[in-house]
Amino acid sequence: MTISVATLGFPRIGPRRELKFALENFWSDKSDADALSLAAQGLRAAAWARQRALGADVIPSGDFSLYDHVLDISAMLGAVPARYGWSGGKVGLDTYFAMARGAQGRGQEGGDCTHAIDSTAQEMTKWFDTNYHYMVPELSAGQSFALSSSKAVDEFLEAKALGYHTRPVLLGPVTWLTLAKGKDVAPLSLLDAVLPVYEEVLAQLARAGADWVQIDEPCLVLDLDDEQRSAVKRAYKRLSVNGPKVMLATYFGALGDNLDLATDLPVHGLHVDLVRAPEQLEAVWQRARPEQLLSLGVIDGRNVWRADLDALLARIAPVAAERNLILAPSCSLLHAPVDLELETALDPEVRQWLAFAVQKISELSVLAQALNRGEESVAEALAAARAAVAARKASPLIHDPVVALRLAAVDLDMTRRSSPFATRKIAQQARLNLPSFPTTTIGSFPQTTEVRKARAAYLRGEIDDAAYEQFLRLETAETVAWQETIGLDVLVHGEFERNDMVQYFGEQLSGFAFTRSAWVQSYGSRCVRPPILYGDVARPKPMTVDWWRYAQSLTGKPMKGMLTGPVTILNWSFVRDDQPREKSCREIALAIRDEVIDLEAAGAKVIQIDEAALREGLPLRRADWQAYLDWAVECFRLTASGVGDETQIHTHMCYSEFNDILPSIGAMDADVISIETARSQMELLDAFADYAYPNEIGPGVYDIHAPRIPAEAEMTALLTLAGKRLPAEQLWVNPDCGLKTRKWAEVRPALIAMVAAAQRMRVRGAYDAG
């Protein structure tokens, strides 16, 4: 039997975020389309070369994207909403980036859209339960599709010219339609219109020389209804003939009750995730047809821990003795940092426990060699892995007995506010004396080039503590004064001292390690460096109180204390895998609780505890939801419940579908919740209205994920839509999210217009009341 190594996808951004800088240069007109194309070609070539050198037998093409792989399929199908003014033919960069980021002005000369445009971006939401964001396809009744991008074939031929025979990757049609949003149409009803385009692409790939194609259908790990199951059968009855052999890739969970469906499909290969669902190995092995090539996702594509190779070999060996196999990461390595070798400043003890994308492919190569040639052929590598696993288990860095005692002392009263919301609201109104439609922002203000340069100079030791603090104080003072000038009601300090909303806190908590180059893509050019949570968590000292106290001294208006919540810190970190996630979350919750109590003691009247990632941690199978929601809500309440009635607790949640978890959001009992609704035209508020959400809510009216500047009339219209769903006395006015990634030239006019929109709504409300 032969064991091969495959990768399902490789990080797109480059080891030093080369894609980010190429994109941002293009968007700011510092480079042209040719320069962007050249940079992308260089990144693809380097990725193919590196994977081959590391021992991968099967290398993907088409996994690279300039923005998002779901958007790539929308472009391939010509699924372009009318508002982008696309003229048909090939979807060019103008239209592609307009769909991703919105557009104002005029398309580039020679592009696929050259008339004046003012178009909002497509909605963006989380890719399954990851921190990656995808662009939601928009479909309408009578939608037609036509092949409008040659990306899949172009990149296969590009690799072929460099000497790499690749396995092209496509997101499957059923998953694409499942993720889409239909306007007056059920997306799956369009399957028969979509499939001819896929068939055409597969035919072109076959003519170009592709013998296999990887089609990703992660929807197969979800709860599927009969219509979805029927769609899967129809799709692969057509796509598995007259083209390359199909490796059907599933990941992020177990096939479960979809196992028979997947193994009965006429596909030539099947990839399964044995990291998220190791228990499914036996069933998949027994159920797969003898001629079906199994791809086993045995190395974690979403976390950073070195694998226990001995344990994996023991599990895989019986299957490897009976059939040919491919060993692979559990999913695309898109979600992993590129290369551990770039990290030269990590604690050596922690560093030896880690594996990034490059190291994960090496681990797969060791496993394959051990199974093909015997373990003695890779004895040294296996011994090193064995030693690292043993060292981690025995390390004194991991466990803190003080933290264990605090956890044991948590009781139910620590997770409850002292009074119900109706009572708290009266106390808060008396203390804050805010107008109707109160205005605020979500936290951060633009991290300008000057801010980033100052931080970099400080980290390099080129400026001392005093000079750096003085710079940050000036930035903060200017931002607070400007907020007062435009008439915002509840202010923020701008967060100029913070590098990232999770990293900033993790750096001040025990149990976390931080990297310099372990970037992963969040969306487009937005990259993050998740902290590495390796041990028990505690707060040695206050983290934000001094900056809050300084900012509050500059104004008589309420200054929000700004914190990141425990569930978000957990979900946006690489989390230890040696204890349950909920235990780690409770440790973080106790640390943030201490900070909340200290902020209140310092005089903070409003404290925001962001839980941007609470929804994204929701398990993919509904049967597992409640257990997660119970401990996630408990952790938020543990963090927020140590304050008095008159202290107003806010929280913020990013792009999410809330409809089916609203009882849990209500159970969080935040006094005010802000959510992202600008792109959905307030549709998300329907769920809050249907649920009769009792607390206050700030629906976002300014889409900060795009450079587009909304006008006052547009935001007034959004607030009017919000007012049709919820009473005015419940509503706050705020942007969708923090302003860190935007430019002041965009933020200033947008926030001025936002305040004007709120004032207009107040006047309208007073008139209506009269």
Side-chain angles (χ1 to χ4, degrees):
M1 300 298 163
T2 302
I3 312 301
S4 303
V5 171
T7 54
L8 277 63
F10 197 74
R12 308 160 180 161
I13 59 174
R16 291 177 173 82
R17 294 181 293 162
E18 291 88 346
L19 178 60
K20 169 186 174 66
F21 301 121
L23 284 169
E24 292 175 357
N25 284 339
F26 175 73
W27 293 334
S28 60
D29 294 326
K30 294 177 182 177
S31 69
D32 59 15
D34 289 339
L36 178 60
S37 177
L38 190 64
Q41 289 174 30
L43 286 169
R44 290 192 291 267
W48 292 324
R50 174 166 260 179
Q51 291 171 84
R52 176 55 49 80
L54 290 167
D57 303 296
V58 181
I59 297 172
S61 62
D63 55 320
F64 179 87
S65 177
L66 286 174
Y67 203 95
D68 166 48
H69 58 277
V70 182
L71 181 60
D72 291 343
I73 297 299
S74 299
M76 182 187 85
L77 296 168
V80 181
R83 68 180 178 276
Y84 299 111
W86 178 52
S87 54
K90 181 179 179 181
V91 173
L93 289 181
D94 276 4
T95 297
Y96 182 84
F97 287 131
M99 292 168 72
R101 308 175 72 236
Q104 278 181 317
R106 182 174 293 276
Q108 293 181 355
E109 291 301 323
D112 57 330
C113 176
T114 58
H115 62 274
I117 51 176
D118 184 2
S119 303
T120 57
Q122 290 190 309
E123 271 190 72
M124 183 167 66
T125 195
K126 299 297 177 70
W127 172 245
F128 291 79
D129 58 352
T130 74
N131 187 31
Y132 176 81
H133 301 66
Y134 73 90
M135 308 307 301
V136 179
E138 297 177 23
L139 305 176
S140 57
Q143 179 106 28
S144 61
F145 302 95
L147 182 58
S148 304
S149 169
S150 56
K151 178 182 182 294
V153 177
D154 291 345
E155 292 181 12
F156 174 79
L157 291 173
E158 183 182 315
K160 188 176 182 180
L162 294 172
Y164 305 108
H165 185 78
T166 59
R167 184 174 68 188
V169 180
L170 295 171
L171 178 64
V174 182
T175 295
W176 184 81
L177 288 167
T178 297
L179 298 176
K181 178 173 285 189
K183 183 179 181 181
D184 303 321
V185 67
L188 276 176
S189 69
L190 299 172
L191 178 64
D192 290 331
V194 163
L195 287 177
V197 181
Y198 273 87
E199 289 172 321
E200 187 176 352
V201 172
L202 293 178
Q204 289 184 5
L205 285 169
R207 290 194 293 271
D211 50 358
W212 280 87
V213 63
Q214 173 187 319
I215 304 184
D216 291 357
E217 290 285 12
C219 71
L220 283 166
V221 307
L222 303 178
D223 296 314
L224 300 183
D225 58 28
D226 290 342
E227 183 185 11
Q228 289 169 307
R229 290 194 175 95
S230 175
V232 170
K233 292 176 183 177
R234 291 197 344 260
Y236 289 92
K237 184 177 181 180
R238 291 178 59 171
L239 298 183
S240 298
V241 296
N242 301 325
K245 296 178 181 178
V246 172
M247 172 60 72
L248 186 69
T250 69
Y251 42 79
F252 299 151
L255 286 167
D257 57 353
N258 297 321
L259 174 62
D260 289 352
L261 170 65
T263 53
D264 285 343
L265 295 173
V267 294
H268 302 82
L270 177 65
H271 172 85
V272 293
D273 185 339
L274 296 182
V275 174
R276 280 297 187 89
E279 72 282 357
Q280 69 177 332
L281 174 59
E282 180 72 22
V284 171
W285 173 18
Q286 298 301 326
R287 190 67 180 79
R289 302 190 307 276
E291 72 276 12
Q292 217 166 28
L293 180 60
L294 283 183
S295 171
L296 305 183
V298 294
I299 296 294
D300 195 341
R302 293 180 54 175
N303 214 329
V304 294
W305 304 107
R306 199 165 179 170
D308 184 341
L309 299 186
D310 287 335
L312 286 176
L313 284 171
R315 289 177 53 217
I316 299 166
V319 190
E322 292 194 8
R323 62 193 304 160
N324 295 331
L325 292 175
I326 290 179
L327 301 184
S330 57
C331 59
S332 169
L333 294 170
L334 165 70
H335 309 287
V338 178
D339 189 3
L340 184 61
E341 290 302 313
L342 296 174
E343 301 300 331
T344 57
L346 268 175
D347 181 331
E349 184 171 2
V350 175
R351 190 179 186 277
Q352 69 171 325
W353 306 337
L354 306 177
F356 294 175
V358 165
Q359 289 70 38
K360 290 176 185 295
I361 299 173
S362 294
E363 288 182 318
L364 289 166
S365 181
V366 170
L367 290 171
Q369 289 182 61
L371 293 167
N372 285 326
R373 305 175 193 167
E375 294 185 16
E376 64 281 359
S377 67
V378 284
E380 185 176 341
L382 290 174
R386 192 175 303 125
V389 169
R392 182 180 171 207
K393 288 179 179 177
S395 175
L397 293 178
I398 291 177
H399 300 294
D400 182 342
V402 175
V403 173
L405 288 172
R406 285 202 73 188
L407 279 180
V410 172
D411 60 27
L412 195 60
D413 286 343
M414 293 176 68
T415 65
R416 294 174 175 169
R417 298 288 294 271
S418 56
S419 301
F421 172 71
T423 302
R424 301 196 308 266
K425 181 174 182 176
I426 294 169
Q428 291 162 18
Q429 286 176 331
R431 188 183 193 194
L432 295 172
N433 192 30
L434 297 173
S436 61
F437 295 97
T439 55
T440 189
T441 64
I442 303 304
S444 61
F445 268 76
Q447 296 254 330
T448 62
T449 300
E450 290 73 23
V451 172
R452 294 194 299 270
K453 284 182 177 178
R455 181 181 298 126
Y458 174 67
L459 293 174
R460 291 193 299 265
E462 296 171 4
I463 58 176
D464 61 17
D465 290 353
Y468 185 50
E469 181 167 334
Q470 180 62 21
F471 169 83
L472 294 174
R473 280 175 169 256
L474 287 172
E475 291 288 322
T476 301
E478 290 175 2
T479 299
V480 171
W482 184 78
Q483 292 175 80
E484 282 197 310
T485 298
I486 68 168
L488 284 166
D489 299 305
V490 176
L491 311 188
V492 299
H493 75 290
E495 303 182 10
F496 301 106
E497 79 285 3
R498 305 185 186 185
N499 42 23
D500 176 83
M501 65 180 288
V502 173
Q503 182 177 349
Y504 178 78
F505 292 96
E507 286 177 342
Q508 300 181 75
L509 297 170
S510 63
F512 284 91
F514 290 86
T515 63
R516 293 183 177 178
S517 301
W519 298 97
V520 294
Q521 186 181 27
S522 179
Y523 61 87
S525 68
R526 171 79 169 135
C527 304
V528 294
R529 279 182 302 172
I532 297 170
L533 172 51
Y534 66 82
D536 290 347
V537 178
R539 186 197 71 148
K541 62 181 182 180
M543 300 178 287
T544 68
V545 174
D546 286 346
W547 277 110
W548 175 85
R549 188 180 282 117
Y550 168 68
Q552 184 64 80
S553 74
L554 301 171
T555 179
K557 290 189 172 185
M559 176 65 59
K560 278 198 285 192
M562 296 300 305
L563 304 174
T564 302
V567 183
T568 296
I569 291 176
L570 182 87
N571 284 337
W572 286 357
S573 297
F574 291 121
V575 180
R576 59 191 293 189
D577 57 359
D578 61 337
Q579 70 176 22
R581 289 174 68 88
E582 56 264 38
K583 183 178 180 183
S584 294
C585 197
R586 289 189 181 95
E587 294 173 4
I588 302 168
L590 284 171
I592 303 300
R593 177 187 175 92
D594 293 343
E595 191 72 12
V596 171
I597 291 170
D598 284 348
L599 279 168
E600 184 188 50
K605 302 174 184 177
V606 182
I607 302 171
Q608 182 169 310
I609 308 168
D610 286 339
E611 283 297 10
L614 187 140
R615 177 63 171 79
E616 98 184 22
L618 195 68
L620 298 178
R621 295 283 190 161
R622 188 176 286 269
D624 302 322
W625 283 10
Q626 199 57 52
Y628 165 78
L629 289 168
D630 286 347
W631 64 254
V633 169
E634 177 198 320
C635 287
F636 177 83
R637 292 175 63 118
L638 179 60
T639 298
S641 296
V643 298
D645 288 353
E646 70 280 2
T647 298
Q648 190 172 74
I649 296 294
H650 289 225
T651 191
H652 170 69
M653 293 186 175
C654 286
Y655 283 114
S656 295
E657 295 293 338
F658 298 117
N659 307 42
D660 36 22
I661 64 165
L662 268 169
S664 295
I665 292 176
M668 292 170 69
D669 199 25
D671 298 305
V672 182
I673 180 175
S674 56
I675 60 173
E676 300 186 351
T677 53
R679 290 193 180 187
S680 71
Q681 295 292 299
M682 296 289 162
E683 283 182 11
L684 284 175
L685 286 188
D686 289 338
F688 286 84
D690 292 343
Y691 174 68
Y693 184 74
N695 299 15
E696 296 178 16
I697 185 166
V701 296
Y702 166 23
D703 174 17
I704 66 85
H705 296 289
R708 190 176 164 275
I709 302 168
E712 175 191 335
E714 180 180 329
M715 289 191 269
T716 302
L718 287 173
L719 289 171
T720 301
L721 289 173
K724 292 179 179 179
R725 293 166 165 89
L726 293 170
E729 57 268 23
Q730 276 188 271
L731 294 174
W732 284 62
V733 182
N734 45 257
D736 264 345
C737 199
L739 302 167
K740 173 183 175 180
T741 61
R742 300 267 55 90
K743 298 176 181 178
W744 275 108
E746 302 158 359
V747 166
R748 286 192 179 97
L751 290 186
I752 290 170
M754 186 187 83
V755 171
Q759 292 169 344
R760 184 176 294 274
M761 295 299 292
R762 291 170 194 160
V763 170
R764 183 185 297 175
Y767 176 80
D768 291 344

